[in-house]
Amino acid sequence: MPKPAYPVLFFKPITAIGGPTDIIPVPKIAQIDNETDYECELVIIIGKKGLNVSEADALDYVLGYAVGNDVSQRAWQIKKGGGQWSVGKMFDGWAPFGPAIVSSKIITNPQDLRISTRINGQTVQSENTSDQIFGVAKTIAFLSQGTTLLPGDVIFTGTPSGVGMGRKPQYWLRNGDIVEIELENVGSIVNKVVYEKDTKAKL
């Protein structure tokens, strides 16, 4: 994909949040044309209210960091969502993160951390946050222009290469897959993909 001029933004609802060992439930609507994907991401937790924050001051607004999985259903994100990325990213439990919030006093440079994804023990993503197109400070500064950031806001910052959509052949998460995402100096989250059985669901 072409390098964007600005960060690509979308919202996930609070119900998408999951814990570091919670299951990733795949609802019936996401199982049709299954293109459920993984995205290892550095996660920012905002520590104080901020509006129109400068890039130079942006890291002062960070409480700490975690690691997360921006689970994404590509068919709904790209093909069937009418251009609204959130449609393919908003399902319950599709933003697991953790395993803790590591203070920004401990991680003073978030742009030099190894990050990786393993599926069933096999490494599928392995990069460094120095490769981010938009770093933490720039992301916070951009998001806060005209939009107030609040303590407790959770910001997923983008994923490196190796996602299922970009692989040849493509790989989509399957029922029972174990997804482990690790960030240097933070730890790892381990989540099992579980297809929901809903015989009453209709589209």
Side-chain angles (χ1 to χ4, degrees):
M1 299 175 68
K3 181 178 178 179
Y6 305 100
V8 178
L9 306 179
F10 56 88
F11 286 96
K12 285 198 173 195
I14 194 169
T15 48
I17 290 177
T21 59
D22 290 349
I23 66 165
I24 299 170
V26 180
K28 191 76 172 180
I29 191 172
Q31 295 175 33
I32 300 169
D33 297 328
N34 175 42
E35 294 185 3
T36 304
D37 210 345
Y38 51 86
E39 296 187 18
C40 65
E41 302 198 7
L42 167 69
V43 177
I44 307 164
I45 293 85
I46 295 297
K48 64 179 180 179
K49 187 176 180 179
L51 176 66
N52 300 325
V53 175
S54 71
E55 189 173 339
D57 295 334
L59 295 186
D60 294 338
Y61 289 79
V62 178
L63 173 68
Y65 302 97
V67 65
N69 185 358
D70 173 22
V71 186
S72 305
Q73 215 283 1
R74 303 302 188 188
W76 280 104
Q77 176 192 350
I78 298 168
K79 303 170 187 175
K80 301 191 291 186
Q84 303 178 71
W85 279 25
S86 289
V87 178
K89 292 172 172 280
M90 62 188 284
F91 299 115
D92 290 357
W94 279 35
F97 77 101
I101 299 171
V102 179
S103 172
S104 57
K105 295 178 181 178
I106 296 173
I107 297 178
T108 57
N109 179 14
Q111 303 306 150
D112 188 23
L113 303 171
R114 296 296 305 178
I115 190 167
S116 62
T117 301
R118 289 181 291 276
I119 298 178
N120 303 324
Q122 179 180 354
T123 298
V124 291
Q125 291 183 284
S126 182
E127 256 302 345
N128 192 289
T129 56
S130 62
D131 194 45
Q132 287 183 318
I133 296 172
F134 303 101
V136 170
K138 185 166 289 190
T139 298
I140 291 171
F142 181 78
L143 276 171
S144 70
Q145 300 308 301
T147 299
T148 301
L149 300 179
L150 297 175
D153 280 349
V154 176
I155 303 169
F156 283 60
T157 59
T159 195
S161 62
V163 295
M165 178 175 64
R167 301 181 74 84
K168 294 182 181 180
Q170 293 178 323
Y171 182 87
W172 308 120
L173 293 174
R174 304 182 180 98
N175 189 35
D177 279 351
I178 304 297
V179 185
E180 182 178 3
I181 294 181
E182 184 174 10
L183 179 64
E184 183 181 4
N185 295 335
V186 170
S188 60
I189 61 173
V190 183
N191 306 96
K192 183 178 182 178
V193 177
V194 177
Y195 278 26
E196 290 186 343
K197 296 180 180 180
D198 185 0
T199 56
K200 297 180 181 179
K202 294 181 179 180
L203 296 181

